Structures are given as C-alpha cells and as structure tokens.
Amino acid sequence: MRIELQEVERQQLQIKAAKRQAEREEDDKFRQQMLAKFAEDDKIEQMNAQKRRMKQLEHRRAVEALIDDRRKQFEAEKAAEMEEMEQEKQRQAMRQQIIEEERQRLLRDHAQKTAWIYAQGRSKRLSRLGTIR
C-alpha cells in the first residue's frame, strides 16, 4: 500500500513537472510568435540601430504583458473552478445532512410500528446463538 502511494505521488510529480514544462514551452512559443509579429509589423530591419533596440524593448514589454494577462486569466479560471468544486462539495454535504435527518425522522416516526420486527429478528438471533452454544 505504501509503495503504491509512493508510486502515485511520483507519477503526480512527473505529471506536474511535465505540465510546467509544457506551459513554459507554450509561453516561449507565444513569445517568439508575438516578437516575430511585432517585428514584421514595424519592419524593424529598416530602422536605425537605436530605434531598433528601443522598438525591440517595447515589443518585449508588450509580449510579457500579454503573457502575464494570459497567466492571470488562467489563474482566475482555475480559482473559479475550485470555487465551483467547493460549492458542489457543500451542496453534497447539505444533501447528505438532509437525507440523514429524514432517515432519522422516519426511524423515529415508524419505530413503534416496526419495533416488533426488530424484536422478532433479535429473538431469532438469540435463539440461534443459544442452540449454537
């Protein structure tokens, strides 16, 4: 059991690491695409060196802002999903509480009506125990 738990934990860590790597690669790919797009838009090659460096710096800042926006959006979606899961968990707990309260009420309401069934079952079990001993 312990070995299985360790294996599951190891697998989860590998999955998490792979996810992080995929996110980094996606961010890098997005960054390169956006830099290429901005470079094409502004035809950086035609500008003098100083203007080109300034424009590239401006583009990097714009790309980083876009990546940051995407990351914030992803985190907001994840938080909303977690909130929804928590609300569902609370609904399930409430539902279970209502079911248990209703079960207890039914037992109380019908306890006297069904007490003889319990008594018969108990006496049969006791008599079986007596014959076994």
Side-chain angles (χ1 to χ4, degrees):
M1 180 70 167
R2 188 173 189 203
I3 294 172
E4 292 172 0
L5 290 174
Q6 289 174 343
E7 179 65 22
V8 167
E9 182 180 3
R10 186 183 62 75
Q11 289 174 352
Q12 288 176 346
L13 289 174
Q14 287 177 343
I15 290 169
K16 204 180 248 186
K19 235 183 211 181
R20 281 193 301 264
Q21 179 63 28
E23 287 175 4
R24 279 193 296 270
E25 289 173 0
E26 185 179 333
D27 283 349
D28 289 343
K29 181 180 176 184
F30 181 74
R31 182 178 290 115
Q32 291 304 318
Q33 288 174 343
M34 295 308 295
L35 285 173
K37 178 191 176 302
F38 288 150
E40 180 63 29
D41 289 349
D42 292 339
K43 299 187 189 304
I44 292 177
E45 293 78 23
Q46 296 175 1
M47 297 180 190
N48 66 36
Q50 178 64 23
K51 281 185 176 180
R52 184 171 53 241
R53 281 192 295 274
M54 294 300 289
K55 208 53 144 160
Q56 286 174 338
L57 182 60
E58 182 182 320
H59 290 173
R60 282 190 200 105
R61 286 183 186 141
V63 169
E64 291 303 320
L66 288 171
I67 289 173
D68 193 44
D69 288 345
R70 283 179 49 182
R71 192 172 294 128
K72 285 178 183 177
Q73 181 182 0
F74 175 75
E75 289 173 0
E77 288 172 0
K78 192 171 183 178
E81 184 179 313
M82 293 299 288
E83 178 66 25
E84 186 177 323
M85 287 174 57
E86 183 62 30
Q87 288 176 354
E88 180 61 27
K89 187 176 175 182
Q90 289 175 353
R91 282 192 294 271
Q92 286 291 339
M94 180 70 78
R95 189 175 298 130
Q96 285 302 111
Q97 180 183 357
I98 291 169
I99 289 170
E100 180 60 24
E101 288 171 358
E102 185 63 17
R103 187 182 76 77
Q104 292 294 326
R105 186 191 64 79
L106 287 171
L107 286 173
R108 274 193 314 273
D109 292 352
H110 300 287
Q112 290 189 0
K113 295 176 188 175
T114 59
W116 63 273
I117 295 172
Y118 174 73
Q120 286 178 345
R122 184 171 182 213
S123 64
K124 285 180 184 178
R125 278 181 278 170
L126 289 176
S127 66
R128 278 190 230 135
L129 286 174
T131 59
I132 292 174
R133 289 185 185 169

